[in-house]
Amino acid sequence: MRLILHPDPRTLESELLRGIAAAKETDPFAPVLVIVPTIRLARHVERRLAERLGPVAAVEALPYRTTARRILREAGVALPEPADARLLEGLLDRAIRRLRGNPIAAFVAKRPAALGSLLGTLRELREAGVRPEALDAAGARALAEIHAAYTSALSERRTAGLLDEPAWIAEAARVAASHSARWSAIFHHGAYEVVGMHLDLLLAIDRGSEVTWLAPVARGSRATQYAEDFFLRHLGDCFASARAADSADGSLFGSRLASLYDETAALPPVAGTDACFAATTAQGPEPEVEHALRVALSRTVAGVAPCEIAVVARSLEPYAAAIESVVARDRLPVHAQLSGPLRRESAPRDFLLLLRAVADDFPRAITCEVLRSPHLRVPEGEAGAETLGRAEALSRGAGIVLGLEAWEEALPETGAVLRDLHDRFDPTPPRSDTGHEAVVAAVLEDLVPGAPEALRDAVRMLGDFERLLGDAAPVAFEAAVGRLERLVDRTNLDAIDPSPGGIAVLDAMQARGLTFDDVHLLGLNAGVFPRGPREDPFLGDEARAEIRRATGRPLAVKREAEAEERQILASVLGSGRSRLAVSWQRADVSGRARASSLALREIARLVRGAPDLAGLRDSAAAVPSHPRERILHLASDTGLLRPDEAVLVTTLYGKADEATASRVRTLDPALADGLEMLLDTESFGGRLGRYDGRVGRPFSPERGFAVTALEHLGACPLQFFFRDVLRVRELDEETDPYEAEAREVGARVHDLLREVYASLDAAGWLGRKGAYGRAEEILDGAWERHMVLPRARSAAAFPVLHRLESRRWRRAIAAFLRDDLARLAAAGVEGAELETAREREIALPGGGRLRVHGRIDRILRTAAGPVIGEYKTAGDIARRGDVTAMLRGTALQAPLYHLLSGGAAVEVLGVGPDHDPEEGADDKERIARFDGFDSDALREGFLESLGVLAAFPRRGAYPLLDDVACRWCAYASACRKDHAPTAARHEREDADLRDLRRKSKSKAPTLARVRGKDVA
Ligand code: SF4
């Protein structure tokens, strides 16, 4: 093998082109092979050849795998393609499950996510050609055992057509020497090292026809020490006789690359660096990417071909979201190999949710997502699209936790749709993998027409577990779903449609060997570039170094990463011919400062001749963080703005006035409505308007106001507007299995108590001593009738929990009945009216009248007059009897019932575990009694409060009231109570409402007293 050395990729590229030209001098049809690490570099070499030499015949640039495939084909060796890593992961999983007492196998069994890393280590060992015995000798016994088991499993399945890439390449290496003699010249370009299997292939090819390796090395330079060490270790003799490349046609900084990291080097400054070098900082990845790509776009406008521009990052991972969003927004022609997980795509994600829903017996939240998915063609049956679309609200209301039977029972039409989905998968009988593949594939075709091919592949791979791994044992549906989920989680899709010939967006490894006119290096932040070494959890550096020393095989030692990072930096910095730009993030998106990379010191050395890190940092241009300034900066740097950016600048430069709005409307008429709203809502000084709940249309229900609606009005008029006027229904609380459907249980407790008291009354027991004994008997029968629904649903899903909750409620209700019946006996109750409606017009101060109606749980007849009873299974009982809260409008029920019934006493009764003395509830949490107002002033004060509240719906004005109700308000996301201009406008108006909240029983029961107190 012949080595030609130079640290500059462009110089090596020129050397390659000269070498090819030389090979063609005597015979233009002489076959020439260029072996490269990546397909991208292969295409790049072909392009450069065409540019430099014009049409050239019989030159092929091939990546390693294609080279091996060509050799195998020409040698007549028929081999299946190397197996997919996802399948090999399945093979490894099976192999290590058989191992007993192996600590790594035990670790992976507990953490299945580690299986991928373990496969990575084994792949590295097999690629390097390290055998299990070498691991054993280095003390890595557990890994040696796994390596042996995995290798043996691979050998076993070879006859079925399963082999990994190292085995495949090894076959090619076996026959390569005889094949390669047909090439008149062979070059290897673009790699500073290779893995063992590729080294073996190159050496085998070299035995048939000499390979010329264009190696990015400057002898003795720290910048390329990593590659030099590789060649010294594995190709020592060739390296000794290597020659340096002719550097006549190098990159912008190619002649200086060898001086990187050399503290003794004295470099003259480069003339005119302002034109060929730029450094910028930004806050967060998106502005950094946006600036780099916009500058790139402006360079194409200036005449540079897009494919001659590269934006490079050490890794694209931290920039993936930013690149995706900027490319989509700016519609840039970008050639990027940027992939994202398949599960991020809507259709695969929803299909997996469907499988998970069936496997887990239709848990409520997942099932609702499935039913409302626009990507699944779920047959609607009799339910219809509207019912399925409302599954979230309906299932919450029905208290469904999970279980197909619970769905069928509570929501029969939706349940029928789910039954159909269930039956399509028929998940009960265990099946072989191919059986599951057939069922899942059929449903996929039916419900997800146009599913991505990658998803179909993953489903097909389910069957490969049986076909290639030979595992025909039946597995449960749940296990097959888990396997498919893992397959999909390891499947990626292109996140950006690559536009060949577009601006190249690459990570540093993809950029190896490529050359461009312009290069922008992103992400020069500490910890990002250079990357810190990461030791392999399964094979430490000591063992790696020992194995490499003992076997002579090229196995990476992770602590050498620092030297590799220097090599990579030199390679990227040498890839630009005319212009180099670098950037880093001075702060993250949230404004937290980020440290710049020490690599900037070397960049300063390269560009300015001295490692002046501070000087380079200080001279970097900052991309502003403020949106307006950022856009202006982009405009001045690149001369390019999108139309929406022009609108934004106009808006942000203008005042919030009609003149600005009119300019913006001209630029984009679609913004007209939004601008109206902004003009109305963003003003501190304006009047309250239609965006402040001032709709101006009176609201007057035919039957008057329900007591509960008035309670909403008293809590917050704007909340009342959302709930009772607009009827925007908040979603029910999701049933929490740990609360055993408390909401539904609460509603049923009312029914249960009605039956108990009605039965006692009918039998003449109400108000008699000993009534509790009879009540217990009634309770025994009534319990099943009223509590059976919640019991059935939660009992199926959570039997133990259900039993405990049932006991708690039963005990609490029994305790309530015992105390309540004893009190009724003492009070001489003579009979009861249960679940009874009342309606009345209430005269308000100032002459107004308010019609109110309500449904009362019970009215007891006693010798001292009627007593109203209202059961509450949750909430603050004491507040409901608090006169100050009544005056303030936050506890209206008791006084309204008092008025509706013509002056009856009202008792608010706590029922259930929260009010059970055995669970620590005191008297205040069990009963609140209201016998009427003690004075005319209090009664007048209450009616005045009622009048203030009732005036809002009459005027069609619904102010917001930032108060305790906000803590559990379902409409908080639609409310601007925290918006300063809105709060300021409200502050000036609706003084009555705010002053209501300052009323008190003892000192200020009326507004006049509240205000009089203020004056004093
Ligand atoms: S968040 Fe507060 S102010 Fe806004 S609507 Fe709800 S209760 Fe009223």
Side-chain angles (χ1 to χ4, degrees), residues 2-7 11-12 15 18 214-215 217-219 239-247:
R2 203 156 61 100
L3 295 185
I4 299 178
L5 313 180
H6 202 282
T11 296
L12 290 176
E15 187 74 36
R18 274 197 299 275
L214 299 148
V217 176
R219 285 182 198 276
F239 191 71
S241 59
R243 74 164 172 86
D246 176 356
S247 58

Side-chain angles (χ1 to χ4, degrees), residues 770-806:
Y772 176 63
R774 178 74 192 115
E776 267 190 317
E777 288 168 24
I778 302 167
L779 190 60
D780 282 343
W783 186 267
E784 286 298 310
R785 259 192 310 287
H786 293 287
M787 310 302 272
V788 70
L789 247 186
R791 197 187 74 123
R793 280 182 223 143
S794 74
F798 311 99
V800 176
L801 187 68
H802 167 74
R803 269 201 306 281
L804 292 174
E805 272 301 295
S806 273

Side-chain angles (χ1 to χ4, degrees), residues 8-92:
D8 178 16
R10 194 167 185 94
T11 296
L12 290 176
E13 183 177 277
S14 297
E15 187 74 36
L16 169 69
L17 299 177
R18 274 197 299 275
I20 295 172
K24 296 282 181 183
E25 249 170 32
T26 48
D27 177 5
F29 295 101
V32 175
L33 173 64
V34 184
I35 305 172
V36 291
T38 62
I39 295 176
R40 187 188 278 267
L41 184 53
R43 299 291 86 79
H44 177 85
V45 167
E46 286 166 2
R47 184 160 58 84
R48 287 282 185 251
L49 257 178
E51 286 167 5
R52 188 78 66 95
L53 306 179
V56 204
V59 178
E60 287 185 280
L62 305 177
Y64 302 121
R65 195 190 263 215
T66 318
T67 305
R69 188 178 294 118
R70 170 71 59 84
I71 291 169
L72 288 167
R73 195 180 68 218
E74 292 184 2
V77 180
L79 278 183
E81 286 288 302
D84 190 290
R86 294 167 292 179
L87 209 54
L88 294 174
E89 202 173 300
L91 185 77
L92 173 62

Side-chain angles (χ1 to χ4, degrees), residues 349-350 353-354 357 363-376 378 388 391-392 395 407:
R349 178 185 159 278
D350 289 359
L353 280 180
L354 167 62
R364 198 198 63 78
I366 296 179
T367 305
C368 291
E369 281 201 59
V370 167
L371 291 175
R372 65 169 175 252
S373 165
H375 309 287
L376 301 178
V378 174
L388 296 186
E392 179 73 43
S395 58
W407 282 94

Side-chain angles (χ1 to χ4, degrees), residues 715-716 718-719 722 960-963 965-966 969 971-972 975 977:
C716 167
L718 187 60
Q719 193 185 84
F722 287 128
L960 57 81
L961 194 60
D962 190 352
D963 204 358
C966 299
C969 177
Y971 309 98
C975 174
K977 73 181 175 59

